[in-house]
Amino acid sequence: MYQNVKSDQHIPRATIQRLATYLQVLEAFDKSLDGKEGRERETISSDKLAAMCDVNASQVRKDLAYFGQFGTRGLGYYVTYLIDVIKDCVNANRRWRAALVGVGNMGRALLNYKEFGRRNFTITGVFDCDPFKIGDRVYGLEIYSTESLIEKIPELGIEIGIITVPAEHAQDAAEKLVAAGIRGILNYSSARIRVSSDVPVEYVNFFHQLYSLTYNVSKIQR
Amino acid sequence: MYQNVKSDQHIPRATIQRLATYLQVLEAFDKSLDGKEGRERETISSDKLAAMCDVNASQVRKDLAYFGQFGTRGLGYYVTYLIDVIKDCVNANRRWRAALVGVGNMGRALLNYKEFGRRNFTITGVFDCDPFKIGDRVYGLEIYSTESLIEKIPELGIEIGIITVPAEHAQDAAEKLVAAGIRGILNYSSARIRVSSDVPVEYVNFFHQLYSLTYNVSKIQR
């Protein structure tokens, strides 16, 4: 089978990001084969995957090499198997429960983001510090006080915290999440946050893509 | 002064993303010095910047080396100058006008995302294909029909299109934006889109960070 990459190898962030793109494209491709005979034997070449993802083919092969040699020369990769291997690598083959802290526009957008649920990533607890919001329901979930994070996180089996509060409240939200036993934080606020090093933090910064775009746009001569 | 990087060098995507992070951190740092004497002579070392951004220091130096040598040994970089150089590199030192196509939760969240405006990135046109939404106002902007993109984009001086429609409508939205003369597209839908190669497309995929998080969380032994 394939090498288990989790225990020793370090996979760079840029590779993980491309794996997320491959997964999205492969799942859409697999779904398009729905009902077709021999779907489980369908293969895809690195060239084709590369073209579908706007990545160059040697980069795709390099990224997939983290999993060892499991493509077949001239045939490519089994689609369903490749999906499985990538999911296994990023630990997306299990359910993750998340808490959302901060019910503003961004929070609501994420609560309504269907793709999370389809990928076994479920927001099961919603928190805010605004007394006018606490007790209300949003997309079927009751809004709890951030003060109750400490009880609710273990009670609801939540491992991931999503921060969608304004920048000035992000550090406080992070500390409450960590105190409640969260394992990792996805931070949508623009503030840097400081927590214990055994709690990884990932930042969603919309300027990552926006600046890639303005950089690329400006390089094109008109 | 510094080398102009725009014309010949290619800066990798991962570097551009880190530049966006450096910029965010440097601007917050600069703002914290508000009113302090000698603010314009304030410097920052690559070690300090690295620590503030959770990036290693050699990576920071490598990224900043794209701009040539302008740090001073033992002193570091002038903060305001570094901000300027990074903005110049990603073309963020000018105003960009954007059109948003798709007024759902994600669209509303972006319209209300104050950080865009603070960075001279303004959504000045809002479009939807739902006849019940057309004519309504959202955050002070009238919602136009996507059919009117072709007139409105040049009229409003818009260069960037933001796609926040459901996946199945993304290609159509992209084609209408390109026909209207857009220079680049920021795609928040989960669909890949195909447009002429002189119109760069950037994808915002929330699983990029989410999978980095689940990958990192699972590597930590408890």
Side-chain angles (χ1 to χ4, degrees):
Chain A
M1 298 296 278
Y2 59 92
Q3 293 164 12
N4 187 326
V5 293
K6 271 173 287 181
S7 42
D8 37 12
Q9 262 182 305
H10 172 74
I11 303 184
R13 177 177 307 264
T15 299
I16 301 278
Q17 294 192 357
R18 282 188 299 270
L19 291 179
T21 301
Y22 302 159
L23 198 52
Q24 190 180 58
V25 164
L26 288 166
E27 287 189 330
F29 179 64
D30 181 53
K31 209 178 152 211
S32 76
L33 302 174
D34 215 358
K36 195 183 153 192
E37 217 182 314
R39 176 181 179 177
E40 71 288 353
R41 293 187 308 274
E42 192 73 33
T43 59
I44 190 166
S45 67
S46 47
D47 284 352
K48 185 170 177 188
L49 179 59
M52 287 165 94
C53 299
D54 307 291
V55 171
N56 73 58
S58 68
Q59 183 69 69
V60 170
R61 284 188 287 270
K62 207 176 141 193
D63 290 339
L64 298 183
Y66 280 102
F67 312 119
Q69 297 299 325
F70 67 97
T72 310
R73 189 167 290 273
L75 191 67
Y77 306 91
Y78 286 105
V79 174
T80 53
Y81 185 60
L82 190 48
I83 289 172
D84 241 37
V85 170
I86 295 175
K87 278 190 175 169
D88 197 45
C89 167
V90 296
N91 277 286
N93 48 8
R94 47 159 289 192
R95 173 198 273 267
W96 290 92
R97 288 194 185 81
L100 185 123
V101 186
V103 188
N105 278 286
M106 186 54 65
R108 281 171 209 272
L110 295 179
L111 279 165
N112 193 40
Y113 187 57
K114 307 282 190 298
E115 206 63 19
F116 280 153
R118 275 197 282 269
R119 290 175 183 271
N120 240 342
F121 184 82
T122 332
I123 298 173
T124 52
V126 182
F127 301 83
D128 206 289
C129 62
D130 179 350
F132 292 101
K133 288 182 183 168
I134 295 162
D136 275 5
R137 295 187 82 83
V138 55
Y139 296 108
L141 295 168
E142 185 182 338
I143 302 173
Y144 298 120
S145 160
T146 47
E147 297 306 324
S148 67
L149 276 165
I150 196 109
E151 308 136 36
K152 292 290 180 188
I153 294 295
E155 193 181 306
L156 298 168
I158 288 171
E159 295 173 286
I160 300 283
I162 304 176
I163 294 182
T164 45
V165 298
E168 59 272 28
H169 298 134
Q171 180 64 32
D172 182 56
E175 285 170 17
K176 287 197 169 76
L177 282 164
V178 171
I182 216 81
R183 295 181 65 192
I185 293 175
L186 198 58
N187 178 17
Y188 281 81
S189 86
S190 63
R192 304 301 293 183
I193 55 183
R194 296 284 151 211
V195 291
S196 149
S197 64
D198 63 348
V199 180
V201 179
E202 289 290 325
Y203 294 83
V204 181
N205 180 340
F206 291 148
F207 291 93
H208 284 175
Q209 289 86 9
L210 185 55
Y211 286 159
S212 281
L213 190 64
T214 51
Y215 173 74
N216 287 323
V217 160
S218 303
K219 282 199 338 189
I220 289 170
Q221 306 299 326
R222 296 235 154 178
Chain B
M1 299 296 279
Y2 57 92
Q3 292 164 14
N4 186 328
V5 293
K6 271 173 288 183
S7 42
D8 37 13
Q9 264 184 306
H10 172 75
I11 303 183
R13 177 177 307 265
T15 299
I16 300 278
Q17 294 191 357
R18 283 189 299 271
L19 291 179
T21 302
Y22 303 159
L23 198 52
Q24 190 179 58
V25 164
L26 288 166
E27 288 189 330
F29 179 65
D30 182 53
K31 210 178 152 210
S32 76
L33 302 173
D34 215 358
K36 197 184 152 193
E37 217 182 313
R39 175 182 181 178
E40 70 288 352
R41 292 188 309 274
E42 193 72 36
T43 58
I44 190 166
S45 68
S46 48
D47 284 351
K48 185 171 177 187
L49 179 59
M52 289 165 91
C53 298
D54 306 292
V55 171
N56 73 57
S58 68
Q59 183 69 69
V60 170
R61 282 188 289 268
K62 207 177 140 193
D63 290 339
L64 298 183
Y66 280 102
F67 311 119
Q69 298 299 325
F70 66 97
T72 311
R73 191 168 288 275
L75 191 67
Y77 305 91
Y78 286 104
V79 174
T80 51
Y81 185 59
L82 190 48
I83 289 172
D84 240 37
V85 171
I86 295 176
K87 278 190 175 169
D88 196 44
C89 167
V90 295
N91 277 287
N93 48 7
R94 46 159 288 189
R95 173 198 272 267
W96 289 92
R97 288 192 184 83
L100 184 123
V101 185
V103 188
N105 279 285
M106 185 54 65
R108 281 170 209 274
L110 295 179
L111 279 165
N112 192 40
Y113 188 55
K114 307 283 191 297
E115 207 63 16
F116 280 154
R118 274 196 283 269
R119 290 175 182 272
N120 240 343
F121 184 82
T122 332
I123 298 172
T124 51
V126 181
F127 300 84
D128 206 288
C129 62
D130 179 351
F132 291 101
K133 288 182 182 168
I134 295 164
D136 275 4
R137 295 187 83 83
V138 56
Y139 295 108
L141 294 170
E142 185 181 338
I143 302 174
Y144 299 121
S145 160
T146 47
E147 297 305 325
S148 67
L149 276 165
I150 195 110
E151 308 136 37
K152 292 290 180 187
I153 294 295
E155 193 180 306
L156 298 168
I158 289 171
E159 295 173 287
I160 300 283
I162 304 176
I163 294 181
T164 46
V165 298
E168 61 272 27
H169 297 133
Q171 180 64 34
D172 183 54
E175 286 171 15
K176 286 198 169 78
L177 282 164
V178 171
I182 216 81
R183 294 180 66 191
I185 293 175
L186 199 57
N187 179 17
Y188 280 81
S189 87
S190 63
R192 303 301 293 183
I193 55 184
R194 295 284 150 212
V195 291
S196 149
S197 64
D198 62 350
V199 180
V201 179
E202 289 290 324
Y203 294 82
V204 180
N205 180 339
F206 292 148
F207 290 92
H208 284 176
Q209 290 86 8
L210 185 54
Y211 286 158
S212 282
L213 190 64
T214 53
Y215 173 74
N216 287 323
V217 160
S218 303
K219 283 199 336 189
I220 289 170
Q221 306 298 323
R222 296 236 154 179

